Amino acid sequence: MRLARPFLSLTTLLAVLAAQTASAEERIGFDSARYLVGTLKQRIAYERGEVPPLNPATPLIGYLSKPDGAGPFPAVVHLHGCSGLTERMRRASAARMTNWGYVSLVVDSFTTRGLKDDCVTPPADRHADAMGALTYLATLPFVDPQRIALVGHAQGGAAALQVASERPYRLFDMPDGPSYRAVVAFYPRCNAARQTLALPTLILIGELDAWSPIKLCEWWMQRRDGRGAPVRLVVYPEAFHGFDDPGIRNGMDFTFGHWVKYDPDTAALASAELANFLAVNLSK
């Protein structure tokens, strides 16, 4: 078992990144998962002696980083929020994960879709993106396919909760075997989750978050009543949406109708929670 190293604050991470070479990160391409067609379409195709059609996949961009050594390593997929993927957060996330001993795959869900942001329209299908990233990582020889976690921020966190949700049916055309081990959602809208989860989940959210109201998470926790996989909900007093994003203008900004605010102390606490959760759930 490779234990997580002590967490780094984002400020420290950015200093570390300044000394790193670009070769530590590889820009890769992969496809989102394909949804299975409905049972009626499948039955009609089989009755005609045809192979059921596949729904189209979305080409995606990802940024792959790995620790030194041959592995196989546990891995973490990261889904950004609705404002898009910034270079600062991309590099900080990769540095943090590789420092802790994990392969990092940061997914860019917007560039190939021609989106700058996705905060006021119906969101892109990030669930399929997460499953495509899982399928891709499971093919890499230096990744342990049994130890892959998903971390999402805001809209990406809501997609992570969709991934963690229990379903009595298959959604995607995927090979048997690969599955996420655990999920972390930073300030998600908890109503994205089904009542029961199938994966251990950590939710980190600010008490003053008006974009992803804490009430949605509290109501959801009451409805689930302890059923399904374990869920840890951590609420940070006086913290706003975006509490771990040092790129927020002037430290606090009003964007898309909501206040967002960076809080380095809360960011450090959340990083420690994240480190501990991943160490427990990605151990052998």
Side-chain angles (χ1 to χ4, degrees):
M1 168 180 167
R2 182 168 183 172
L3 295 177
R5 302 173 195 170
F7 72 90
L8 298 179
S9 71
L10 288 176
T11 302
T12 303
L13 280 172
L14 293 174
V16 171
L17 289 169
Q20 290 186 334
T21 63
S23 62
E25 177 185 75
E26 180 184 1
R27 187 176 187 267
I28 55 96
F30 64 96
D31 286 341
S32 70
R34 297 174 184 267
Y35 280 94
L36 291 167
V37 297
T39 54
L40 177 60
K41 287 185 178 180
Q42 291 184 47
R43 188 182 70 187
I44 291 173
Y46 286 129
E47 288 175 349
R48 292 175 175 173
E50 302 171 351
V51 176
L54 290 175
N55 285 310
T58 300
L60 297 168
I61 294 169
Y63 295 87
L64 184 69
S65 307
K66 65 180 289 293
D68 293 334
F73 301 103
V76 177
V77 173
H78 180 260
L79 298 180
H80 59 76
C82 73
S83 296
L85 179 62
T86 66
E87 181 177 358
R88 176 193 293 266
M89 292 302 291
R90 184 188 90 212
R91 291 187 175 275
S93 177
R96 174 162 57 183
M97 291 305 159
T98 54
N99 179 68
W100 289 347
Y102 306 123
V103 170
S104 168
L105 177 56
V106 181
V107 179
D108 178 353
S109 290
F110 289 176
T111 296
T112 57
R113 289 184 168 104
L115 297 173
K116 180 181 178 182
D117 58 63
D118 195 25
C119 297
V120 295
T121 57
D125 188 5
R126 315 289 300 285
H127 187 173
D129 295 0
M131 302 311 290
L134 171 69
T135 302
Y136 172 79
L137 279 177
T139 68
L140 300 179
F142 52 84
V143 170
D144 182 345
Q146 303 304 315
R147 294 191 292 156
I148 302 175
L150 175 63
V151 177
H153 276 71
Q155 186 192 90
L161 294 181
Q162 292 176 331
V163 170
S165 294
E166 187 175 87
R167 289 177 174 81
Y169 51 85
R170 292 181 61 187
L171 277 178
F172 300 102
D173 179 43
M174 293 178 58
D176 293 332
S179 175
Y180 281 109
R181 177 75 73 86
V183 159
V184 181
F186 282 75
Y187 35 89
R189 292 184 67 88
C190 287
N191 58 350
R194 295 171 71 93
Q195 191 162 318
T196 304
L197 299 189
L199 300 173
T201 298
L202 172 65
I203 300 172
L204 307 170
I205 195 164
E207 179 186 33
L208 302 182
D209 192 328
W211 204 336
S212 300
I214 182 58
K215 284 294 184 185
L216 293 178
C217 295
E218 293 173 340
W219 291 335
W220 174 74
M221 290 289 284
Q222 291 173 5
R223 288 198 306 274
R224 66 178 296 271
D225 193 29
R227 288 171 293 188
V231 177
R232 176 169 166 76
L233 172 64
V234 181
V235 180
Y236 296 108
E238 301 184 11
F240 288 78
H241 198 86
F243 58 73
D244 62 335
D245 184 359
I248 292 174
R249 185 176 54 185
N250 301 320
M252 188 170 186
D253 194 16
F254 191 73
T255 180
F256 295 105
H258 302 282
W259 284 107
V260 294
K261 182 181 180 181
Y262 172 56
D263 183 336
D265 293 335
T266 300
L269 292 172
S271 187
E273 285 279 357
L274 174 63
N276 292 335
F277 181 82
L278 292 177
V280 169
N281 286 281
L282 294 184
S283 62
K284 289 187 178 178

